[in-house]
Structures are given as C-alpha cells and as structure tokens.
Amino acid sequence: MVADLILFAILVFTLDHWWSALNRLWFKRDEIGKNRILRSYRFEFTVTGESRYNGRIILFESKILSIQLDPCRIQEDFYHD
C-alpha cells in the first residue's frame, strides 16, 4: 500500500512539474542497439505532511528503472483508522 501511494504521488508530481523536476537527460542503447532516452527526475515527498524527504526516479523511455527514496519516519498510527 505504501509503495502504491508513493508511486501515485510520484506520477502526480511528475505530470504536474515534469520540467522543473527533470534533473538529467542522456541516451542509452537498447537491446537492438538503438539510442533511447533516459531521464532522471528529482522530487520531494512527505509521509505525514510535516517533514519533506528527497526522492529520485530514473526512466528508460516509459519504463521505470529505479526509484530512490530518502529514509523517512512513518508514525505507528499512520495506517490505523
């Protein structure tokens, strides 16, 4: 569930602020030797709304290669109703 929320937040942030979050753009060859675009985005996220943490996502065309998130604290009662 946490991963789904994080991916949703990343998607919304990327769609809303894609250019300002773009950190790096470079090329890499695919399995048949054709040049493809790699993009790196930096973003901030929050778990509780109080503290902000940094994250980074790397895309190869439209495929997610990696997601890196700073360690963050999650309150024990965060998932309880």
Side-chain angles (χ1 to χ4, degrees):
M1 179 172 181
V2 173
D4 292 339
L5 290 172
I6 291 171
L7 287 176
F8 178 74
I10 291 168
L11 177 63
V12 169
F13 181 85
T14 302
L15 291 175
D16 192 31
H17 299 94
W18 71 273
W19 185 251
S20 63
L22 183 64
N23 182 53
R24 186 175 172 206
L25 188 67
W26 70 104
F27 294 96
K28 180 180 177 182
R29 293 191 187 276
D30 63 12
E31 62 276 353
I32 60 171
K34 190 172 181 181
N35 275 328
R36 300 290 182 179
I37 297 175
L38 271 105
R39 295 166 293 173
S40 172
Y41 295 92
R42 291 198 180 273
F43 58 91
E44 289 184 335
F45 69 97
T46 180
V47 176
T48 62
E50 295 176 12
S51 300
R52 292 188 171 273
Y53 302 96
N54 294 312
R56 180 179 172 200
I57 184 169
I58 298 177
L59 302 171
F60 181 62
E61 293 289 314
S62 61
K63 182 180 177 183
I64 297 174
L65 289 184
S66 74
I67 298 175
Q68 300 168 345
L69 302 173
D70 282 351
C72 58
R73 294 181 183 258
I74 298 177
Q75 295 173 345
E76 239 179 78
D77 61 344
F78 184 71
Y79 296 106
H80 298 89
D81 293 333

